[in-house]
Amino acid sequence: MNGSTSRRAAFTVPSFFGLVPFAAYILLFLGLPTAIALFTGFLDGTGSFSLTNIEALADPVILSTFGNSIGLSALTAVIGSVVGAACCYALIGTNPTGLLRSVVDSASGVLAQFGGVMLAFAFVATIGIQGMVTVYLRDSLGINIFANGVWLYELPGLVLPYIYFQVPLMIITFLPALEGLKPQWAEANASLGGSRATYWWRIGIPVLTPSFLGCLLLLFANAFSSFATAAALTSQGSQIVPLQIRSALTSETVLGRENLAGALALGMIVVMVVVMTLYSLLMKRSAKWQR
Amino acid sequence: MIEPRPLTRWLILGTVGLVFLVPIVAMGEFTLRRGLEGGYDFSRWIAVFSGGLTGEYKGVLTALGNSVVLATVTVAVMLVILVPTMILVQLRFPYLRRAMEFLCLLPITIPAIVLVVGLAPVYSVVAKMFGSGVWTLSFAYGVIVLPYAYRAIQANLAAIDVITLSEAARSLGAGWLTVLVRVLLPNLRHGILSASFISVAVVLGEYTIAALLNRVNLQTALVIVSKSDPFVAVIFALLALIFAFLLLLAIGRIGAPRIKRSLTGASS
């Protein structure tokens, strides 16, 4: 055995231990909480195994909450992805390091990822009872947007704030796919006599469809798991699943069950895993064109 | 050929841009209103910044202090735990890269509201070990910033040849600590800086975990203040949004890898 191999062997043992802090950290603060969240749904109030909480997921109240969550997420994901994709299209050909793109990137990042509670405030200031737009429409155009009651603090009120963070997320996630469109394809199209329309119908849209659907799913997942905006906006009731989890955590009387939060968390995870698995399949498919 | 016509481009960007500006402008307009008599002035802004430190807004400022502490500790946790591990995996355990990526992106799939269900029991143990100081929340925040931080650092790691750099340093007689501190970290400064900035932005905007574990941070304080004095809540929210915007703008300007777009763009 020469010097270098023995040194290498001596280097390998401690380097393995170098992975321990990260592994322990992930286990304690990601693995363990997730496991607890998933398994408490299977325990009753005394800590023994039971399926009653899981059965509660079939309760009409819970089912309609999941329905609300899925409907809200689907609606805002579709609107967000279409509007966001249009913005991405409009950004094709702009200088990636230019001022316009920097501002769009940063603003999108803020609104998509860090807004939360603050977006709720923004919409209270915009279309709240004394909001800027509400007051303008009422005083100048005589339109009362709350003629049929104040909807901002209920389920319909979440649609606009959610779109407000979905469109920027679409811009952030879909733009790289558009940048993956190779100029050679456009040249090939042109040299074969294709027009702009031919390019988009025969090349652009088919190539981009998997990415677009993937981003649509990601937007769905994003809205589905979002809590802060809804929590800050809705004062009463638990119209969507994350709010239902909050009331299950802070009081123990939701449908008269304990550990319901665990069952709800399990339900959310199931939806998220399905959506994210489809997402990664679509992303694999779209990666085919991005080499 | 594939570029939109200028008119189309500016029509789309202009319309969406204007619509998206409305809520931000509305926040500004809201904070400038002058009570019942109507009209606008800066009295609310002046009130916050003159008597702020001792006055009735002390709660929000304490909470802001908490958030700053949380952001600092979270960045420290990330630097101490994530960065060395990523370098180690890159150098010694290339076959673990996929697993590492999977773990680091996992928090995207697990909503914070789900995580918090399991974090509650974990934190009752944490509180016994480290006390119930607000900084302990940084352990949970380290997890939620993981996908962002990972993408930022990985983009930088992929762009430099870590193996050649470290072997060159070691063949010149450097120990592993020297390799890490004097060779690799300087080469990774863009990625680390981006990861830190984006972590700060995430932590300053975090509400879910703090609210449900009954800790006070900027966002939970804003929600409480908004019930009694919505104007002050909107002032602070506007400032926080602008601050986060400037942080992200700075990331783009320091020429770092374009982390925000690669976060979810190319996960395959």
Side-chain angles (χ1 to χ4, degrees):
Chain A
M1 187 179 276
N2 63 35
S4 88
T5 39
S6 71
R7 206 171 90 190
R8 179 153 298 204
F11 203 90
T12 308
V13 176
S15 67
F16 178 76
F17 284 104
L19 297 177
V20 171
F22 180 77
Y25 176 68
I26 288 295
L27 210 60
L28 277 178
F29 288 95
L30 182 61
L32 188 61
T34 311
I36 293 175
L38 294 184
F39 292 112
T40 48
F42 291 101
L43 301 176
D44 63 13
T46 59
S48 47
F49 180 81
S50 136
L51 286 176
T52 49
N53 285 310
I54 304 301
E55 284 160 12
L57 289 179
D59 186 284
V61 176
I62 304 291
L63 279 182
S64 82
T65 320
F66 268 93
N68 286 345
S69 260
I70 290 171
L72 174 69
S73 308
L75 176 69
T76 60
V78 169
I79 297 174
S81 58
V82 171
V83 177
C87 293
C88 291
Y89 169 71
L91 285 168
I92 294 180
T94 54
N95 176 8
T97 54
L99 183 67
L100 174 69
R101 282 286 288 279
S102 297
V103 169
V104 170
D105 279 356
S106 310
S108 301
V110 172
L111 298 181
Q113 289 152 345
F114 322 118
V117 167
M118 297 176 284
L119 298 190
F121 293 163
F123 275 84
V124 170
T126 312
I127 50 170
I129 298 165
Q130 290 300 326
M132 186 177 83
V133 172
T134 317
V135 170
Y136 174 78
L137 289 176
R138 189 186 60 207
D139 295 352
S140 305
L141 303 175
I143 300 169
N144 180 6
I145 59 170
F146 295 132
N148 299 316
V150 179
W151 42 263
L152 180 63
Y153 306 102
E154 288 163 15
L155 190 62
L158 292 178
V159 174
L160 285 176
Y162 273 42
I163 291 172
Y164 198 64
F165 63 67
Q166 295 278 56
V167 172
L169 184 65
M170 187 66 181
I171 296 177
I172 292 172
T173 51
F174 192 55
L175 202 51
L178 280 180
E179 285 177 338
L181 291 173
K182 300 219 180 349
Q184 292 88 328
W185 299 339
E187 288 159 14
N189 173 57
S191 66
L192 292 170
S195 65
R196 184 188 288 256
T198 334
Y199 174 81
W200 281 109
W201 280 112
R202 298 287 176 81
I203 303 168
I205 292 177
V207 165
L208 290 173
T209 300
S211 298
F212 179 81
L213 293 177
C215 292
L216 180 78
L217 286 175
L218 196 76
L219 260 59
F220 179 92
N222 181 48
F224 190 73
S225 56
S226 170
F227 169 76
T229 308
L233 207 50
T234 60
S235 45
Q236 289 186 334
S238 304
Q239 299 90 342
I240 58 173
V241 184
L243 295 179
Q244 193 93 56
I245 292 184
R246 172 177 67 176
S247 34
L249 278 177
T250 49
S251 71
E252 284 169 11
T253 53
V254 175
L255 301 175
R257 293 168 201 270
E258 286 175 66
N259 294 333
L260 188 64
L264 290 166
L266 180 67
M268 274 192 92
I269 284 279
V270 170
V271 175
M272 289 296 285
V273 166
V274 169
V275 171
M276 293 308 284
T277 308
L278 285 173
Y279 166 75
S280 66
L281 287 177
L282 282 165
M283 279 299 148
K284 274 208 185 80
R285 180 100 175 80
S286 66
K288 201 168 77 169
W289 299 106
Q290 286 174 348
R291 269 183 233 121
Chain B
M1 171 62 72
I2 66 172
E3 278 186 33
R5 294 184 181 88
L7 180 67
T8 321
R9 183 200 304 275
W10 294 111
L11 209 59
I12 295 174
L13 290 182
T15 311
V16 176
L18 278 179
V19 170
F20 271 69
L21 216 52
V22 168
I24 304 294
V25 172
M27 286 174 100
E29 192 258 7
F30 193 67
T31 61
L32 296 177
R33 285 184 194 172
R34 250 194 337 171
L36 290 172
E37 71 269 33
Y40 298 105
D41 65 16
F42 284 93
S43 58
R44 295 180 199 281
W45 286 78
I46 294 165
V48 166
F49 287 103
S50 54
L53 286 168
T54 49
E56 54 183 313
Y57 311 124
K58 195 163 176 285
V60 178
L61 288 167
T62 314
L64 181 61
N66 283 351
S67 278
V68 170
V69 169
L70 282 169
T72 315
V73 181
T74 305
V75 168
V77 165
M78 183 200 68
L79 292 181
V80 171
I81 295 182
L82 180 65
V83 174
T85 309
M86 285 183 68
I87 293 174
L88 194 63
V89 166
Q90 190 82 10
L91 274 178
R92 293 269 139 198
F93 306 99
Y95 51 91
L96 289 179
R97 265 180 230 163
R98 301 283 307 185
M100 183 81 186
E101 180 180 29
F102 175 78
L103 277 181
C104 288
L105 298 186
L106 204 54
I108 297 179
T109 310
I110 303 168
I113 184 77
V114 167
L115 206 57
V116 91
V117 174
L119 275 173
V122 170
Y123 264 87
S124 62
V125 179
V126 169
K128 281 187 196 119
M129 287 167 66
F130 299 105
S132 55
V134 73
W135 65 272
T136 52
L137 216 49
S138 292
F139 294 127
Y141 285 179
V143 168
I144 59 168
V145 303
L146 209 51
Y148 306 93
Y150 172 82
R151 283 295 192 184
I153 297 165
Q154 185 59 36
N156 198 162
L157 263 183
I160 62 169
D161 191 344
V162 184
I163 294 175
T164 310
L165 278 176
S166 63
E167 295 202 334
R170 274 176 45 216
S171 69
L172 291 169
W176 64 267
L177 193 66
T178 317
V179 174
L180 185 69
V181 175
R182 296 188 56 192
V183 178
L184 294 181
L185 290 185
N187 273 295
L188 290 171
R189 62 184 186 277
H190 282 320
I192 290 174
L193 203 59
S194 303
S196 305
F197 279 15
I198 207 158
S199 303
V200 169
V202 171
V203 172
L204 289 185
E206 209 286 328
Y207 173 73
T208 309
I209 294 177
L212 290 168
L213 293 180
N214 296 315
R215 301 296 205 282
V216 175
N217 73 3
L218 178 62
Q219 302 297 327
T220 61
L222 286 183
V223 169
I224 291 165
V225 164
S226 73
K227 306 248 195 289
S228 59
D229 190 343
F231 297 100
V232 176
V234 173
I235 285 179
F236 277 97
L238 192 56
L239 289 177
L241 283 175
I242 292 170
F243 179 68
F245 172 73
L246 293 177
L247 269 185
L248 293 194
L249 204 59
I251 294 178
R253 294 278 107 178
I254 56 177
R258 309 188 73 81
I259 45 169
K260 282 171 281 110
R261 291 194 283 106
S262 58
L263 172 69
T264 39
S267 78
S268 53

